[in-house]
Every structure is written in C-alpha cells, then in structure tokens.
C-alpha cells in the first residue's frame, strides 16, 4: 500500500528515468478528486487512445468529453516518446475492474482473468494513455515503446514496486482491449530490465 507521490516527485521521477516531459497547463491541480479519493496506489495502468496526432490526443486526454470528463490520465505518451502531463490526482482512466486482479497486483503475482467490475481503479492506479489507433496495425515507434517502459519503471522505482505492478487496461476491466499491438508480458519484461 502506497500513498501517491507528490506531483513534483512524479515529474522528477519521470525526468530521472530519461524522459522528455511536457507540462500541459496547470496539470498538478487538474483532477477528479471531488469524485472520490486517490490512493492508496498499487500500480501503473497502460492504455491506448484510439486517436491520431499529438495535439488532438493531448487535448482529448486533458479535457475528456461530455460522456467522460477529463483528465483521462496522468500522462499522455505520444508517438515521439514525449510524456505530456495533463492531470494529477484521481483521473478518469481505469474505471471499475476486477478485485482479484487488484489483489494480484498488490501481491505482484501473475494476473487472473478479469471477470468482474467491482473495484474502483481510478483510485488505485497511475494511468498513461499512449497515442495509437488501437487497431492492431497502427505502429508503435521504438521511441514511444521505450518511453512507455521508462514511465512505468519511473513510478515503480519510487514506490519500490516490481514489473508485475504494471498492467494493461485489458487486464483490469472486462471488455477492454487496450493497449493493443504489444503484449503486457513483453512490456513488463522491459520494465523489469530497467529496474535491475
């Protein structure tokens, strides 16, 4: 169980992992905390955006839409490997997911199948949205994949978590497919390599 790190510590951790960070507006105080608590935090969740274009992607993740108000994550990882910070605190990224999956993340064990949507994930996970159409054909440039691994590792390093604390949205919430185009085991291996 971990309390969320401060926004200043978050940006320091990302930069220390070698990432280029873009601060978008007053990201440190942009959140959905009025909808419930943020924390304790237990892991990092990775998503794809189903968008194309940096400006459009960052704007959507910052503002959200009428059905799902923003921010939709903490950081947006664009095709060029930059991390755009759009919010900090509770964000609308994870939704309801499986309590058994959360228990496995906390224990850093292999994840069970996600069968239920009985637990508030927005409370317990840092979220990174990654610019990709999510059709299985849109490429993931090496700079972007490297940045995803670095961002996840940065959060894990601060909290003392291992790579099993990194999950995909598809592993958390029944019916989700993101991120599509690489396996989460592959990503966790890359995060583990960085944490050695």
């Amino acid at each position: 169980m971990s309390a969320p790190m401060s926004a200043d510590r978050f940006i320091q951790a990302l930069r220390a992992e070698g990432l280029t960070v873009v601060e978008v507006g007053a990201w440190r105080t942009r959140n959905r905390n009025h909808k419930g608590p943020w924390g304790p935090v237990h892991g990092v969740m990775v998503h794809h955006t189903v968008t194309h274009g940096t400006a459009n992607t960052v704007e959507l993740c910052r503002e959200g839409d009428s059905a799902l108000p923003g921010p939709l994550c903490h950081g947006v990882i664009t095709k060029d490997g930059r991390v755009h910070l759009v919010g900090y605190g509770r964000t609308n990224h994870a939704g309801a997911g499986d309590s058994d999956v959360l228990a496995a993340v906390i224990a850093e064990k292999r994840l069970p199948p996600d069968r239920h949507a009985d637990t508030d994930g927005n409370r317990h996970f840092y979220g990174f949205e990654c610019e990709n159409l999510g059709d299985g054909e849109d490429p993931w440039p090496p700079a972007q994949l490297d940045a995803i691994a670095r961002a996840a590792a940065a959060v894990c390093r601060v909290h003392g978590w291992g790579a099993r604390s990194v999950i995909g949205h598809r592993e958390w919430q029944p019916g989700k497919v993101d991120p599509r185009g690489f396996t989460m085991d592959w990503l966790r291996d890359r995060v583990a390599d960085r944490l050695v």
Side-chain angles (χ1 to χ4, degrees), residues 1-5 38-45 74 93 98-99 101-109 111 119-127 152 155-156 159-167 172:
M1 181 185 316
S2 296
M5 66 182 104
W38 187 43
V41 289
H42 300 296
V44 179
M45 190 173 294
H74 301 99
H93 75 96
D98 195 309
S99 57
V101 172
L102 181 61
V105 170
I106 293 169
E108 296 197 321
K109 295 184 175 179
L111 299 178
T119 300
D120 177 9
N122 294 332
R123 177 179 185 174
H124 296 299
F125 290 95
Y126 294 88
V155 174
C156 289
H159 287 290
W161 299 333
R164 288 211 174 270
S165 292
V166 180
I167 70 171
W172 171 248

Side-chain angles (χ1 to χ4, degrees), residues 5-181:
M5 66 182 104
S6 70
D8 287 340
R9 182 69 184 98
F10 181 60
I11 194 169
Q12 290 167 3
L14 295 172
R15 288 179 171 151
E17 206 67 37
L19 289 160
T20 300
V21 178
V22 179
E23 299 183 68
V24 181
W27 67 273
R28 285 175 173 84
T29 56
R30 188 165 177 76
N31 56 56
R32 305 284 298 161
N33 289 357
H34 64 284
K35 291 294 185 178
W38 187 43
V41 289
H42 300 296
V44 179
M45 190 173 294
V46 177
H47 309 259
H48 66 231
T49 58
V50 194
T51 60
H52 179 72
T54 296
N56 173 55
T57 299
V58 171
E59 180 69 10
L60 176 65
C61 290
R62 183 177 188 276
E63 296 297 330
D65 60 30
S66 59
L68 191 66
L72 304 182
C73 60
H74 301 99
V76 182
I77 303 175
T78 50
K79 295 275 191 182
D80 58 7
R82 293 183 295 165
V83 181
H84 302 256
L85 301 182
V86 297
Y88 207 69
R90 181 185 179 92
T91 65
N92 269 338
H93 75 96
D98 195 309
S99 57
D100 293 335
V101 172
L102 181 61
V105 170
I106 293 169
E108 296 197 321
K109 295 184 175 179
R110 182 164 288 283
L111 299 178
D114 54 331
R115 294 192 173 104
H116 309 285
D118 59 3
T119 300
D120 177 9
N122 294 332
R123 177 179 185 174
H124 296 299
F125 290 95
Y126 294 88
F128 290 99
E129 287 280 358
C130 306
E131 178 190 353
N132 192 276
L133 293 174
D135 59 5
E137 296 179 16
D138 189 16
W140 291 92
Q144 186 180 30
L145 290 172
D146 182 61
I148 296 167
R150 286 174 184 266
V155 174
C156 289
R157 194 180 307 283
V158 169
H159 287 290
W161 299 333
R164 288 211 174 270
S165 292
V166 180
I167 70 171
H169 198 195
R170 67 177 178 242
E171 296 174 306
W172 171 248
Q173 191 175 65
K176 296 297 182 180
V177 298
D178 58 312
R180 192 170 178 198

